[in-house]
Amino acid sequence: MHKILNPKTAVIGSSGFLGRHFYGTYQSLYPQTIGTTLLGQEHRLDLMHPFLGGLPLKGYEYCVIAAARANLPLCEIDKTVTYRCKVTGTLEIARQLVQREITPILFSSDYVFDGVSGSYTEEDRLTPLNEYGRQKAALEQNIRDACGDNFLLLRLS
């Protein structure tokens, strides 16, 4: 019988659409999984002020960063705030995780492309058409500066 490995994984943004699913799954495998929320009582994290602070992350191997303001119209209306959360704050949290030897798992979007040709690969040039796509492209373009090669970036459609 094979033993399934369950690496300790934290979830930043555990109350959002993606985060709550990851958090629920990880918590079923490892009940002490840490989840953070913007308005949380126990484990609060705000990407406007990205600081892992006193989060008890000792022994954690991975951290899913699912927190972000994913509202496309809000990105157009309030570019500064959404950029601080989706790009600057996320990159800073990823950098802090790598310093703690925790691999960050981040999300991007196919909005980084213009949709003209389709079937995009990691080598294709980023051609975003809106602010949401530009912010995701900025995240993709700067993640190596924050983490070196110690990250996983998933581009969702």
Side-chain angles (χ1 to χ4, degrees):
M1 181 167 190
H2 296 285
K3 180 180 178 183
I4 298 174
L5 299 177
N6 299 324
K8 286 176 77 173
T9 303
V11 180
I12 294 174
S14 61
S15 64
F17 179 74
L18 287 176
R20 75 174 174 261
H21 294 288
F22 279 98
Y23 182 66
T25 299
Y26 282 113
Q27 199 169 46
S28 71
L29 299 171
Y30 183 75
Q32 291 80 26
T33 296
I34 292 173
T36 72
T37 62
L38 177 60
L39 302 173
Q41 298 299 317
E42 186 176 357
H43 301 298
R44 183 178 188 282
L45 193 135
D46 182 355
L47 290 176
M48 292 293 286
H49 308 283
F51 180 61
L52 293 176
L55 287 179
L57 294 171
K58 185 175 178 148
Y60 279 76
E61 296 178 47
Y62 298 95
C63 183
V64 174
I65 304 176
R69 296 182 185 205
N71 183 315
L72 274 68
L74 182 61
C75 289
E76 297 294 337
I77 295 167
D78 200 345
K79 296 175 184 176
T80 303
V81 168
T82 56
Y83 191 93
R84 270 186 71 189
C85 288
K86 293 165 58 78
V87 182
T88 310
T90 299
L91 290 170
E92 177 56 25
I93 289 297
R95 185 189 65 73
Q96 291 176 37
L97 287 166
V98 169
Q99 286 179 336
R100 294 179 180 211
E101 299 182 359
I102 299 171
T103 301
I105 301 170
L106 306 102
F107 298 96
S108 187
S109 166
D110 60 355
Y111 273 86
V112 298
F113 301 114
D114 58 17
V116 173
S117 64
S119 298
Y120 296 103
T121 69
E122 289 78 19
E123 290 77 34
D124 288 320
R125 193 171 134 258
L126 304 181
T127 54
L129 296 176
N130 58 33
E131 186 61 25
Y132 179 84
R134 285 188 284 277
Q135 291 178 11
K136 288 296 188 177
L139 177 68
E140 288 191 24
Q141 292 165 335
N142 292 291
I143 189 64
R144 285 197 195 287
D145 291 339
C147 299
D149 290 329
N150 187 18
F151 67 93
L152 175 63
L153 180 73
L154 305 170
R155 190 181 289 144
L156 306 177
S157 302

